[in-house]
Amino acid sequence: MNKVHQKIKKYISKPHFQVFMVSFSMCLLFFFIISKQSGSNIPPRIQAAFDPIISMENDVSKNLNGKPNSINNLLENMFSNTKEHTIEIKNGDSVASLLSDLGICYSEILEVSKSIAPLCELSDLRPGSDKLVVRLKPIENSDSKVKAELKELEIIKSPIYKVVSLKTKDGFKTIEKKSNVNVELVRGEGVIDKGTSLTQVATANNIPYNVIDKFYEVFSFDVDFERDIYPGDRFQIMYEQLYSDNGEYLGNGEVIFASLYLNSRHEELRLFRYENEKGVVGYYDENGKGASKTLKKTPINGARISSKFSNNRKHPILGYSRAHKGVDFAAPSGTPIPAAGDGKVVFRGWKNGYGNYIKIRHNGTYSTAYAHLSKFKSDVKVGTQVKQGQTVGYVGNTGLSTGPHLHYEIIKNGVHVNPLTIKLPSIQNLTKSEIAKFETARDKINIQFAVLDKNFSQFAHLIDINKIDASSIIK
Ligand SMILES: [Zn+2]
């Protein structure tokens, strides 16, 4: 043992060991200084993730007892034996019964409920979505049903919104805690290979399915994705991804830019999202021409065309040749059929070989018709005013039909026209005075897209939670 000690002593006294120790300590000090300073180099989103939490905690403490709340909680947990329970709301759960099950007395449940009521309807909690966090202090040696004292109750409504009720000397105090929605822009692109669809390529390139859906939607007035896409065609997209302050992914926001290069047309279609002076959002091409047309060429996005428009085809059931005055889209029975444009229902019922049939008059020039429906949307009747995209019925196999599909017709001035080739008028065109504003917005989008690396998202901006429409998160 002594020998070992002596060896160590001898080693420590050697100059090279002392040099090593001095440099090691200096390294430690250096890293400590660097790590302190690098706070300013933290990416804005990460930095932003911490600030609101700190300020929120400070707000709570200011409101309640003037001490930093997190330290308060820590001390509370360390010295008072506070227990925390996280409960996911299930069907049939009530806050009162959940608290009662934890051994909290009826008067406290009543008191906390009253305090929360102005901010959050306790009877309105959503099973499978809302969560409760209960902090309580067990009562030692209790022989009654009351086993704990309620200290704090959190109702988590979403990653960006919760209601918190804290017990103070003056009873329960309830506040809302809101987090910002942080928007990042993400770029995606792809080239269609032989034998692959746009959806397959986009999915393989990590573009979320609902963003692809939106991509189809913005081009649906102009492009028939079943017929117009060929190998070598390219697409690009820039869309929003939304995060809470602590970096939790909330879903996808809007598609800001979408481009599609079609070899068959030798052209690149570029669409930009723009909100006009009246606050109406639309997609516009490079020149400010609205992408939305009075009618949709293909009412069901992405549906396969099973039969094209022709003035002469052999009917699959009748056997003899006759004109096919519409386009057939194969789709599963029950698929909702959206109205191709705004208009008024002028026919709804059985019509011979058409089976269940609905016809909408859009204006003095155009009508559209939908045939072989399994059923109609119950609130859509003759005389009903419908909006573009509103469901009017469901795909079926009624009348002379060989399988579930939508037979879709466009009638122009009383004559059936080919929905896939007809040039339809744009709606929501910009006024002359608005074109200049649009051009500024368009140029900004072009720059954002150009600087955005394919593999990295770019921090865009914060959205004020009070202004956000939760339904706009397409997750
Ligand atoms: Zn047909």
Side-chain angles (χ1 to χ4, degrees), residues 202-407:
T203 309
N205 292 351
N206 299 320
I207 299 171
Y209 187 73
N210 45 49
V211 172
I212 305 169
D213 238 25
K214 185 83 187 176
F215 182 88
Y216 282 129
E217 196 185 311
V218 298
F219 283 114
S220 67
F221 296 94
D222 205 26
V223 178
D224 162 14
F225 280 94
E226 183 58 33
R227 208 184 62 138
D228 293 346
I229 302 289
Y230 289 94
D233 288 352
R234 304 185 298 270
F235 65 91
Q236 292 180 315
I237 189 164
M238 183 166 76
Y239 61 96
E240 296 173 336
Q241 255 175 12
L242 310 177
Y243 292 88
S244 73
D245 281 331
N246 51 19
E248 190 172 346
Y249 169 73
L250 302 173
N252 303 306
E254 305 293 342
V255 168
I256 304 297
F257 167 71
S259 131
L260 185 61
Y261 181 84
L262 297 174
N263 285 296
S264 58
R265 295 195 205 166
H266 306 290
E267 69 171 333
E268 185 190 4
L269 310 167
R270 294 163 71 81
L271 294 178
F272 303 83
R273 185 180 188 273
Y274 176 69
E275 186 175 333
N276 76 10
E277 284 166 343
K278 289 174 196 152
V280 179
V281 171
Y283 289 86
Y284 298 86
D285 72 8
E286 213 104 24
N287 305 314
K289 202 172 156 209
S292 296
K293 304 285 160 64
T294 46
L295 295 178
K296 287 201 170 194
K297 290 183 164 190
T298 55
I300 303 176
N301 288 335
R304 182 175 65 84
I305 292 173
S306 53
S307 183
K308 291 175 188 170
F309 183 93
S310 103
N311 286 318
N312 200 4
R313 77 152 184 181
K314 192 171 183 184
H315 194 275
I317 289 178
L318 299 174
Y320 55 85
S321 288
R322 72 172 201 183
H324 185 234
K325 295 191 167 182
V327 175
D328 290 348
F329 296 96
S333 203
T335 305
I337 300 168
D342 292 2
K344 190 178 181 178
V345 176
V346 290
F347 188 98
R348 173 195 189 269
W350 189 268
K351 196 179 176 196
N352 304 323
Y354 282 117
N356 284 325
Y357 177 88
I358 191 162
K359 189 174 179 181
I360 302 167
R361 184 181 182 275
H362 300 286
N363 48 45
T365 312
Y366 290 102
S367 297
T368 53
Y370 314 77
H372 310 304
L373 278 56
S374 57
K375 58 176 183 174
F376 302 104
K377 182 91 200 304
S378 57
D379 57 354
V380 174
K381 305 202 165 94
V382 170
T384 304
Q385 282 288 342
V386 292
K387 286 268 168 214
Q388 189 170 57
Q390 184 181 335
T391 300
V392 293
Y394 303 90
V395 170
N397 190 26
T398 56
L400 286 178
S401 168
T402 52
H405 75 283
L406 167 67
H407 170 95

